[in-house]
Amino acid sequence: MRKAIGLLVLGLALTGTTGCGSDKGAGDGKIGGEITVLTQRTDIVNTVFQDYKKKFEAKYPGTTVKFEAITDYEGEVRVRMNTKNYGDVLLIPNSVNADQLKSFFEPLGSVEELQDKYRFVRTEQTFDGKVYGLSITGNAQGYVLNKKVWAQAGVTEPPKTPEEFLAALKAIKDKTGAIPLYTNYKDGWPLGQWEGARGAISGDPDAATKLADDDAPWAAGKEHYVLDSLLYDAVKGGLTEPDPATTNWEQSKGLLGTGKIATMVLGSWSIVQMQQAATSKDDIGYWPFPHQTNGKFYSVIGGDYKNAININSKNKATARAWIDWFTDESNYATDQGGVSTLKSAAMPATLADLTAAKTELLELNPAPKGKEGRADKIGNAAEIALYDGKYRQGIVDAARGAKNQTKDQIFADLNKKWSAARAKLG
């Protein structure tokens, strides 16, 4: 399983249609009948999700929940959305721009109605004041580490600067047999996880809006310069895997869990999976991005994939009942080590390290009306999709000598493409 990542929109129709979702359903607005739920959780669809199915069907007699677990969730669902057949409940692909939501999904209510009860509805998968999805869980942003390995290298507290972080990685290389930092280059999407540092470096809840208004995000001192410099410098310094082209995501979980890898930059969703692969779950920790503003660590919290209703579903009442039950009663978020979408729920024990470091959790502010999703649109137009990891693969290639570019040349090229895309979009 992995967290939601942003991808370029390819081939999505821009107008909604009416028609078939599940053919078997309570089309009269009553809860009952059959729904199909799409999920990316191929690992637990036959275990944990079967328990959810039993509990939901017991609460709502006469209902039937069927799951479709999809490995290449973004790719396959994006294609299916060119038809009407994309389930009754699905996770909104991140390739859907904000202004497209109303064409594919049923609104769940207004931001005003839902924001007091739920996190992540002010800014995520909303448009024109309407909420189109409720997050399955929330994530803090930082990096997951094997604390036992870090302790062997003499580091027991989170580094406060990129320089301290690089020094810690060098100590790990010198004093242990572990790979200090694993990029998961080959799979690509893990490099998109570095984007989670946006807002954490500056401590600014308006970071996304300001990014969309900036012609040179990779200028010295700015957030993208800081985070992408850290990636470049770690690779250049020989502090990452020796052959990025042979990385393997599934294997990497076991390698970090057993101490053969020390660190990966991933959202907090990864903690439970690393613990499951670890010799002892106490070996696994989660620290904030190595940068402080005004003497304080920040970690941006945001929603993961959002459950939504296919606008073409013939059983929207049951689909909505499933989303409400999943969000309010399943306990999925907390069980998976995430931040609950419910504001009333307690923080998970998996984030105890962030608390110990006195990290301030930061939820980004919504963009001004008319600028929703603008940074992602600019990135897509510039072919610098911020969350898919591809442009950071280029940074890794340059840093390891596979591409003839200096860091300054890379950043100048990124600024040029970004500025041109901003001008083109107006």
Side-chain angles (χ1 to χ4, degrees):
M1 189 277 284
R2 58 186 174 94
K3 180 192 178 291
I5 56 173
L7 292 175
L8 182 64
V9 180
L10 296 176
L12 286 179
L14 295 180
T15 56
T17 54
T18 56
C20 61
S22 295
D23 289 333
K24 301 174 183 177
D28 55 3
K30 295 180 180 179
I31 298 172
E34 179 182 299
I35 56 170
T36 298
V37 177
L38 308 189
T39 177
Q40 92 289 24
R41 293 304 304 264
T42 56
D43 53 338
I44 58 173
V45 69
N46 293 321
T47 52
V48 174
F49 273 56
Q50 295 307 310
D51 184 52
Y52 295 160
K53 169 184 167 72
K54 290 178 184 176
K55 290 178 179 177
F56 178 80
E57 291 175 356
K59 180 172 182 176
Y60 297 106
T63 60
T64 302
V65 180
K66 290 189 174 181
F67 300 110
E68 284 188 43
I70 302 170
T71 301
D72 178 16
Y73 188 87
E74 288 279 341
E76 184 172 328
V77 175
R78 183 173 60 213
V79 172
R80 286 177 63 172
M81 285 174 62
N82 285 302
T83 72
K84 300 172 184 177
N85 181 27
Y86 46 98
D88 296 287
V89 175
L90 70 155
L91 308 170
I92 300 175
N94 281 285
S95 51
V96 179
N97 288 330
D99 57 1
Q100 295 175 312
L101 291 167
K102 61 185 177 182
S103 299
F104 297 101
F105 306 104
E106 190 76 9
L108 302 180
S110 69
V111 172
E112 187 177 0
E113 290 168 340
L114 299 175
Q115 66 181 351
D116 289 341
K117 184 176 182 179
Y118 298 114
R119 293 185 175 98
F120 318 126
V121 298
R122 296 187 308 127
T123 60
E124 302 177 20
Q125 304 300 12
T126 67
F127 187 72
D128 201 20
K130 294 180 180 178
V131 177
Y132 289 88
L134 291 180
S135 187
I136 57 175
T137 184
N139 297 291
Q141 300 299 321
Y143 55 96
V144 62
L145 69 153
N146 188 302
K147 291 199 292 186
K148 185 177 181 180
V149 174
W150 277 67
Q152 288 172 355
V155 184
T156 56
E157 293 184 355
K160 297 177 181 179
T161 66
E163 293 76 19
E164 287 184 10
F165 183 79
L166 291 169
L169 296 184
K170 188 175 187 307
I172 290 168
K173 182 178 182 179
D174 293 343
K175 297 179 181 179
T176 77
I179 296 170
L181 176 67
Y182 198 77
T183 70
N184 260 305
Y185 169 99
K186 184 179 179 182
D187 283 279
W189 64 264
L191 283 166
Q193 297 279 294
W194 286 68
E195 191 66 26
R198 185 207 304 173
I201 294 170
S202 62
D204 187 351
D206 293 314
T209 300
K210 290 179 179 178
L211 173 62
D213 291 334
D214 193 345
D215 265 335
W218 287 269
K222 295 182 180 178
E223 286 197 305
H224 279 78
Y225 181 93
V226 172
L227 71 94
D228 285 336
S229 286
L230 183 58
L231 173 61
Y232 181 96
D233 293 344
V235 177
K236 186 76 171 177
L239 303 174
T240 56
E241 66 275 355
D243 184 4
T246 61
T247 62
N248 183 292
W249 161 245
E250 289 299 333
Q251 290 180 5
S252 75
K253 291 185 281 188
L255 294 174
L256 188 138
T258 55
K260 295 180 177 64
I261 291 171
T263 321
M264 287 194 277
V265 175
L266 297 166
S268 64
W269 58 267
S270 63
I271 300 170
V272 170
Q273 293 185 53
M274 301 301 170
Q275 287 178 335
Q276 291 171 345
T279 305
S280 168
K281 71 176 185 179
D282 293 335
D283 292 344
I284 306 303
Y286 197 79
W287 284 353
F289 188 86
H291 188 281
Q292 289 192 331
T293 298
N294 298 324
K296 183 181 294 186
F297 286 116
Y298 288 87
S299 176
V300 173
I301 59 169
D304 205 293
Y305 272 124
K306 312 295 187 298
N307 270 326
I309 300 172
N310 179 353
I311 198 170
N312 306 300
S313 171
K314 289 187 175 180
N315 197 351
K316 293 177 182 176
T318 306
R320 178 58 188 267
W322 169 263
I323 290 176
D324 289 343
W325 180 87
F326 189 92
T327 309
D328 296 352
E329 300 182 43
S330 74
N331 212 43
Y332 172 88
T334 303
D335 289 345
Q336 297 301 313
V339 179
S340 177
T341 305
L342 279 172
K343 286 186 172 182
S344 59
M347 295 297 288
T350 48
L351 297 182
D353 289 326
L354 292 183
T355 302
K358 299 181 179 179
T359 308
E360 183 167 324
L361 301 182
L362 185 71
E363 192 172 347
L364 297 181
N365 288 331
K369 185 174 176 60
K371 289 190 176 183
E372 299 93 343
R374 182 165 170 76
D376 292 323
K377 290 179 183 178
I378 295 169
N380 289 343
E383 297 184 350
I384 312 171
L386 296 169
Y387 286 98
D388 75 359
K390 289 181 181 178
Y391 93 80
R392 290 192 175 95
Q393 285 178 323
I395 291 174
V396 172
D397 286 339
R400 67 190 180 101
K403 189 166 70 170
N404 188 24
Q405 271 187 310
T406 66
K407 182 169 70 174
D408 288 343
Q409 288 172 334
I410 292 170
F411 290 174
D413 184 54
L414 289 168
N415 282 330
K416 182 179 178 181
K417 290 179 178 178
W418 185 271
S419 177
R422 281 194 74 239
K424 184 177 180 180
L425 289 174

